[in-house]
Amino acid sequence: MREIDHLIIHCAATPPTSDIGAADIDRWHRAKGWWGCGYHYVIRRNGKIESHENGDRCRPLTRAGAHVGDCGPGWNKRTIGICMVGGVDADMKPEDNFTEAQWKSLEEVVLTLLERFPSIHTIGGHRDLIARTGASPKACPSFEVADWWDNKVVHKYPESERFQGVQLLSR
């Protein structure tokens, strides 16, 4: 298994009326010449979690993703990519338009991965990693991961040193 130490959260940059999934992203990424969907997880508008383990067209966890190559060499090898469908308005401008079901599923995926991979110590949005590495700016995932983590997740688990000890890329 590869050494994974970061979770990176993305958005699909689709309007809220576009209910796409991993199969659609797989086609988009293959059209770019990639080896299929670059994300390990895709969270649909209804909260459905798509993954290779569930039989969906996502990147297997055993393989490096194709989601943060713009941040420099080595980042795809050490990260897991989670993509939430949505993230832009009808004019393709960044917008936090994710559903309650998606937020619940994101929490489930992130907490499960933190338990499954003790080597993961940092989470952040794509834009947070971009800011750290100096890559070309993007709004992805169209929300502040640190605010979501602090205000919606970590306070629910005050007894968990594991969740309390997670570092955030934006800090």
Side-chain angles (χ1 to χ4, degrees):
M1 189 66 171
R2 58 197 182 91
E3 188 66 22
I4 301 162
D5 60 4
H6 283 64
L7 293 179
I8 305 298
I9 302 169
H10 299 265
C11 70
T14 53
T17 56
S18 180
D19 186 23
I20 59 130
D24 301 293
I25 295 171
D26 181 70
R27 280 192 298 280
W28 299 346
H29 287 184
R30 286 180 189 277
K32 292 182 177 191
W34 300 354
W35 180 84
C37 180
Y39 305 114
H40 298 94
Y41 293 89
V42 172
I43 301 175
R44 296 188 70 142
R45 302 290 298 166
N46 66 2
K48 181 179 185 232
I49 300 167
E50 296 185 334
S51 69
H52 179 77
E53 293 168 322
N54 291 337
D56 299 301
R57 300 293 308 226
C58 292
R59 191 69 53 116
L61 288 172
T62 55
R63 295 195 64 166
H67 57 98
V68 289
D70 56 339
C71 293
W75 280 104
N76 278 318
K77 290 180 185 176
R78 60 191 283 203
T79 60
I80 291 176
I82 303 166
C83 179
M84 294 179 57
V85 174
V88 297
D89 65 16
D91 295 321
M92 302 305 285
K93 292 187 177 14
E95 178 180 70
D96 178 349
N97 57 22
F98 305 105
T99 67
E100 285 304 313
Q102 285 179 293
W103 291 119
K104 183 178 178 187
S105 293
L106 179 63
E107 179 179 328
E108 177 185 331
V109 168
V110 169
L111 296 182
T112 299
L113 289 169
L114 288 172
E115 290 292 336
R116 187 171 170 187
F117 296 96
S119 59
I120 296 172
H121 56 76
T122 306
I123 64 173
H126 189 189
R127 68 183 180 192
D128 302 321
L129 185 58
I130 285 170
R132 177 140 324 157
T133 62
S136 296
K138 290 183 184 175
C140 178
S142 297
F143 69 95
E144 196 63 52
V145 172
D147 290 346
W148 165 75
W149 181 253
D150 288 342
N151 300 326
K152 302 291 184 182
V153 181
V154 77
H155 76 280
K156 292 180 187 177
Y157 307 94
E159 72 286 350
S160 173
E161 289 182 33
R162 174 69 173 118
F163 302 153
Q164 301 293 329
V166 169
Q167 298 172 25
L168 298 161
L169 273 173
S170 62
R171 297 201 179 124

